[in-house]
Amino acid sequence: MEKKALEMQQVYKSYKKIDILQNINLSIPKGAICGLIGENGAGKSTIMKLIAGTSYVSSGNIYINSKDVTQGNHEERRNMGCLIEHPTIYKDMTAWENLEIQRVMKGIPGKECIDEVLKAVDLQSSANQKAGKYSLGMKQRLGIAIAMLGEPEFLILDEPMNGLDPEKIHFIREFLLKRNKEYHTTILISSHILEELGHMATMYCFIHKGHILESITKKELDERCRQHIDIRVNNVQQVCAILENKLKISEINVTDNGKIQLFEMMETPEIISRCIVENGFDLYELAVRQETLENYYMSLLLSAGD
Ligand code: ATP
């Protein structure tokens, strides 16, 4: 059976009687990279804080490695590295000293891990500079380095690519992917740059106003986003029958809002339109489409309404 790194069951969170999260059910298998997607204020950081144990649920349960940590079992969180909202950085200390203090606090043996994470975020040459003098992007990279100390089994990264230039984004992404591949590190990562998440995630969790709209694997998403033909007609059922019988199309889907989707004959849409019209139906729209992660998210938001 697939092992779970994280399981959230019917989690609710409220601050001063205001509901922030409602009925959150999220399951992340070990070794997965879960992209957490949601608008500003959706509740992404709150979910991450509950998992990291810096905030507590109002009700529901959280399991890490199948152990119930709802009541603050920090032992299971020792193998976790987190960057949530702003990195905790002592401005009067150098980057190296910041990492050393975190290493000692986390009880990680050996100082070698410091050079390793500094290299991972490309900060070796400024390791002895005071962190207070760092640029925004450098502080962010130091925050990522702190999260990565001690090769954690589970990384929680809230907008880690914030303020980084494209080259650094690429560099850090490759490192995270390497960690995931070599050490089977589970990663929960949020970003507003959906394309960025698309390069990494093996599953996605879409959150909107404190609710999970959908949790879906990359494979399922790719399947839903694959190239297809969208058709709008005056009689959905009869047109589907005509397409099946006359054109021998078997892969037909009808969406909740009455759109026909075909996954065949992508190269010859004119044959489809002719068939529909010649059989006496009204054709309102026919378009070859390939959804992107962004389109998919936008249509989820649209169907969620408000
Ligand atoms: P962003 O993309 O802007 O970082 P987010 O999805 O991470 O947003 P959260 O930071 O989790 O959103 O906030 C979710 C909601 O909870 C927001 O409405 C926020 O105002 C509220 N909230 C967060 N922390 C607190 C707190 N300590 N007290 C009261 N409300 C809070």
Side-chain angles (χ1 to χ4, degrees):
M1 212 177 71
E2 195 178 50
K3 289 192 173 161
K4 303 277 182 225
L6 174 83
E7 189 91 43
M8 297 178 85
Q9 289 179 356
Q10 294 170 24
V11 167
Y12 287 76
K13 174 71 184 172
S14 50
Y15 287 114
K16 295 184 183 154
K17 296 193 177 153
I18 299 171
D19 292 332
I20 304 295
L21 296 177
Q22 290 174 60
N23 198 21
I24 299 294
N25 292 289
L26 175 62
S27 175
I28 305 181
K30 273 187 189 248
I33 302 180
C34 178
L36 195 53
I37 297 174
E39 75 282 9
N40 290 134
K44 303 178 296 294
S45 305
T46 307
I47 288 183
M48 289 177 159
K49 286 180 202 165
L50 295 178
I51 301 168
T54 55
S55 177
Y56 290 95
V57 303
S58 302
S59 67
N61 289 84
I62 300 182
Y63 301 86
I64 295 171
N65 293 329
S66 307
K67 305 241 169 60
D68 192 340
V69 298
T70 316
Q71 299 304 324
N73 180 350
H74 287 282
E75 196 49 43
E76 283 307 316
R77 291 187 169 107
R78 285 181 77 86
N79 270 326
M80 197 176 251
C82 305
L83 169 63
I84 303 176
E85 292 179 337
H86 306 290
T88 311
I89 290 172
Y90 301 101
K91 290 183 184 158
D92 292 333
M93 291 184 182
T94 66
W96 196 93
E97 288 164 348
N98 264 284
L99 287 160
E100 172 61 1
I101 203 165
Q102 296 284 348
R103 181 189 75 81
V104 172
M105 283 196 303
K106 288 184 178 178
I108 300 164
K111 294 182 197 283
E112 321 77 63
C113 61
I114 296 182
D115 289 328
E116 194 203 334
V117 292
L118 279 167
K119 193 171 160 210
V121 299
D122 200 17
L123 277 179
Q124 306 109 297
S125 56
S126 14
N128 296 320
Q129 219 172 298
K130 288 250 162 69
K133 298 257 160 64
Y134 269 17
S135 71
L136 191 69
M138 288 166 91
K139 284 187 191 131
Q140 187 72 357
R141 280 186 283 146
L142 179 54
I144 297 172
I146 291 170
M148 283 180 175
L149 264 179
E151 293 168 9
E153 280 175 19
F154 192 172
L155 268 174
I156 299 183
L157 302 171
D158 191 9
E159 310 257 0
M161 307 307 189
N162 252 2
L164 302 192
D165 65 47
E167 189 200 353
K168 296 292 181 301
I169 289 179
H170 179 82
F171 191 84
I172 287 170
R173 181 208 306 146
E174 291 306 305
F175 185 80
L176 290 173
L177 286 172
K178 194 162 166 267
R179 272 274 172 105
N180 170 259
K181 202 168 163 207
E182 289 176 3
Y183 298 91
H184 217 52
T185 310
T186 308
I187 304 175
L188 175 63
I189 180 169
S190 68
S191 176
H192 288 293
I193 314 166
L194 300 193
E195 202 191 334
E196 179 50 40
L197 287 182
H199 290 305
M200 297 181 67
T202 58
M203 64 176 285
Y204 299 94
C205 174
F206 297 96
I207 171 161
H208 176 58
K209 296 190 171 173
H211 296 267
I212 289 184
L213 290 180
E214 188 170 66
S215 191
I216 184 173
T217 64
K218 179 175 167 48
K219 202 164 161 241
E220 287 167 331
L221 184 86
D222 287 348
E223 181 65 21
R224 289 188 198 176
C225 291
R226 87 182 147 126
Q227 201 182 39
H228 61 271
I229 299 176
D230 275 346
I231 300 172
R232 284 188 190 277
V233 287
N234 58 334
N235 190 324
V236 173
Q237 277 185 344
Q238 285 186 25
V239 168
C240 282
I242 291 282
L243 294 172
E244 275 167 2
N245 294 332
K246 302 225 164 173
L247 298 180
K248 307 291 174 221
I249 294 177
S250 56
E251 277 200 85
I252 301 183
N253 177 42
V254 178
T255 65
D256 291 344
N257 57 1
K259 200 163 59 178
I260 301 173
Q261 294 185 319
L262 306 182
F263 297 90
E264 294 165 45
M265 300 187 69
M266 239 66 76
E267 308 303 318
T268 49
E270 70 284 359
I271 295 179
I272 297 165
S273 57
R274 208 178 303 133
C275 175
I276 295 170
V277 175
E278 282 176 358
N279 280 282
F281 296 101
D282 295 335
L283 176 61
Y284 304 138
E285 183 195 356
L286 187 149
V288 179
R289 293 220 167 89
Q290 170 124 41
E291 301 275 22
T292 60
L293 175 57
E294 187 173 299
N295 293 148
Y296 187 82
Y297 170 53
M298 295 315 288
S299 54
L300 263 187
L301 280 185
L302 268 179
S303 43
D306 274 291

